[in-house]
């Protein structure tokens, strides 16, 4: 099943970087755990109309919105209340491990209800990683003498983010102070605003891989870009080869569209 900007019938790969193959979506009920959590999950693959993954360096965590078509009264029969979990796998092809994303999310809200027709409702499951929920239940106040180390400690100890999902850059700046009573993410954002790298700011953000980063803008500019491709603002993408009209240009068109700048 293909999810994205267009409709595709191929179940092995997508032909536009705007689309993904929906490999798996499972609803995990509250209270399930251990070996039972997968066995008692409910598949939503055929119920998902669209998926929006909202990722930004200005947000402390990604948000994933799933638009659901409910023709079997899941909402009322299961008494969904926003405390469920979603396990989801999307990819750009069956043999693309580098472009396969696995999510384990918590449902934080259910809204945008509408009646599609008699017997079918549509609504949106808004989901996020657990640490954004943990953040709401905690308040911290502590001293610090190394900002980047303190951010890492808050992320790992207070927000309970696994160490393997943390990518925290070290800041060369030294500073001492006391964090006033704040929620962990508010404290991290406050600390982040007080460090710089060569005059450029730091950002605390999460990517679709699940990894949470603390990186400076300078570091981002020096990152190795994927496949050494150059980004272009040319939106006129050719879908055929002028010299050989029968040539398969699927891969070329895919790469051209993938590295096109649509908006700045």
């Amino acid at each position: 099943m293909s999810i994205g900007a267009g409709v595709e019938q191929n179940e092995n790969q997508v032909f536009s970087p705007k689309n993904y193959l929906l490999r798996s979506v499972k609803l995990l009920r509250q209270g399930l755990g251990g070996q039972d959590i997968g066995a008692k999950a409910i598949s939503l693959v055929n119920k998902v109309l669209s998926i929006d993954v909202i990722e930004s360096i200005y947000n402390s965590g990604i948000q994933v919105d799933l638009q659901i078509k409910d023709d079997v009264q899941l909402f009322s029969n299961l008494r969904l209340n926003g405390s469920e979990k979603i396990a989801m796998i999307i990819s750009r092809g069956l043999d693309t491990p580098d472009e396969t994303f696995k999510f384990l999310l918590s449902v934080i809200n259910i809204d945008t209800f509408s009646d599609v027709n008699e017997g079918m409702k549509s609504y949106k499951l808004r989901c996020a990683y657990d640490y954004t929920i943990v953040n709401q239940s905690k308040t911290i106040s502590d001293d610090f003498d190394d900002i980047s180390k303190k951010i890492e400690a808050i992320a790992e100890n207070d927000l309970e983010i696994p160490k393997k999902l943390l990518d925290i850059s070290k800041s060369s700046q030294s500073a001492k102070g006391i964090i006033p009573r704040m929620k962990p993410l508010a404290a991290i954002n406050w600390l982040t605003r007080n460090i710089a790298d060569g005059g450029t700011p730091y950002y605390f953000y999460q990517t679709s891989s699940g990894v949470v980063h603390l990186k400076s803008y300078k570091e981002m500019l020096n990152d190795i870009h994927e496949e050494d491709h150059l980004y272009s603002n040319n939106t006129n993408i050719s879908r055929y080869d002028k010299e050989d009209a029968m040539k398969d240009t699927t891969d070329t068109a895919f790469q051209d569209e993938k590295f096109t700048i649509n908006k700045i």
Side-chain angles (χ1 to χ4, degrees), residues 150-194:
K150 190 60 182 179
I151 289 174
E152 185 172 18
I154 294 172
E156 188 174 353
N157 300 326
D158 296 298
L159 294 176
E160 302 172 16
I161 302 174
K163 195 174 186 66
K164 65 180 181 180
L165 293 180
L166 288 175
D167 173 30
I168 306 297
S169 297
K170 305 302 179 185
S171 169
S172 59
Q173 290 179 262
S174 60
K176 293 184 179 181
I178 297 176
I179 300 172
R181 289 182 60 83
M182 305 173 91
K183 296 205 176 288
L185 284 177
I188 287 175
N189 291 331
W190 178 68
L191 291 169
T192 301
R193 290 195 299 270
N194 287 281

Side-chain angles (χ1 to χ4, degrees), residues 42-93:
I42 299 168
S43 175
L44 297 180
V45 168
N46 295 322
K47 305 299 179 188
V48 177
L49 288 172
S50 66
I51 299 172
D52 292 321
V53 179
I54 304 164
E55 175 186 321
S56 170
I57 61 173
Y58 301 108
N59 295 334
S60 300
I62 65 171
Q63 180 176 314
V64 180
D65 295 343
L66 285 76
Q67 189 71 42
I68 303 296
K69 59 174 182 179
D70 187 351
D71 56 356
V72 292
Q73 298 183 338
L74 278 174
F75 183 81
S76 55
N77 290 338
L78 296 180
R79 297 181 181 179
L80 301 182
N81 57 22
S83 63
E84 295 77 16
K85 289 188 177 295
I86 293 288
M88 180 174 70
I89 302 174
I90 60 176
S91 70
R92 284 209 170 105

Side-chain angles (χ1 to χ4, degrees), residues 62 64 102-106 108 127-134 165 206-211:
I62 65 171
V64 180
K102 298 180 180 181
F103 301 86
L104 181 57
L105 308 158
S106 290
I108 57 175
C127 311
Y129 275 82
D130 280 351
Y131 71 87
T132 60
I133 299 173
V134 171
L165 293 180
Q206 185 183 33
T207 52
S208 297
S209 62
V211 177

Side-chain angles (χ1 to χ4, degrees), residues 167-232:
D167 173 30
I168 306 297
S169 297
K170 305 302 179 185
S171 169
S172 59
Q173 290 179 262
S174 60
K176 293 184 179 181
I178 297 176
I179 300 172
R181 289 182 60 83
M182 305 173 91
K183 296 205 176 288
L185 284 177
I188 287 175
N189 291 331
W190 178 68
L191 291 169
T192 301
R193 290 195 299 270
N194 287 281
I195 51 176
D197 180 9
T200 67
Y202 276 80
Y203 297 92
F204 184 83
Y205 62 98
Q206 185 183 33
T207 52
S208 297
S209 62
V211 177
V212 180
H213 306 266
L214 175 69
K215 254 184 183 179
S216 70
Y217 184 67
K218 181 180 178 181
E219 283 183 281
M220 295 180 197
L221 294 178
N222 291 330
D223 277 348
I224 298 174
H225 294 288
E226 183 181 358
E227 302 163 13
D228 293 326
H229 274 74
L230 295 176
Y231 287 86
S232 169

Side-chain angles (χ1 to χ4, degrees), residues 241-259:
D241 190 305
K242 293 180 180 179
E243 296 180 0
D244 182 0
M246 299 301 292
K247 183 178 179 180
D248 186 353
T249 61
T250 301
D251 291 339
T252 302
F254 184 94
Q255 292 299 327
D256 287 345
E257 186 177 357
K258 184 177 180 180
F259 292 96

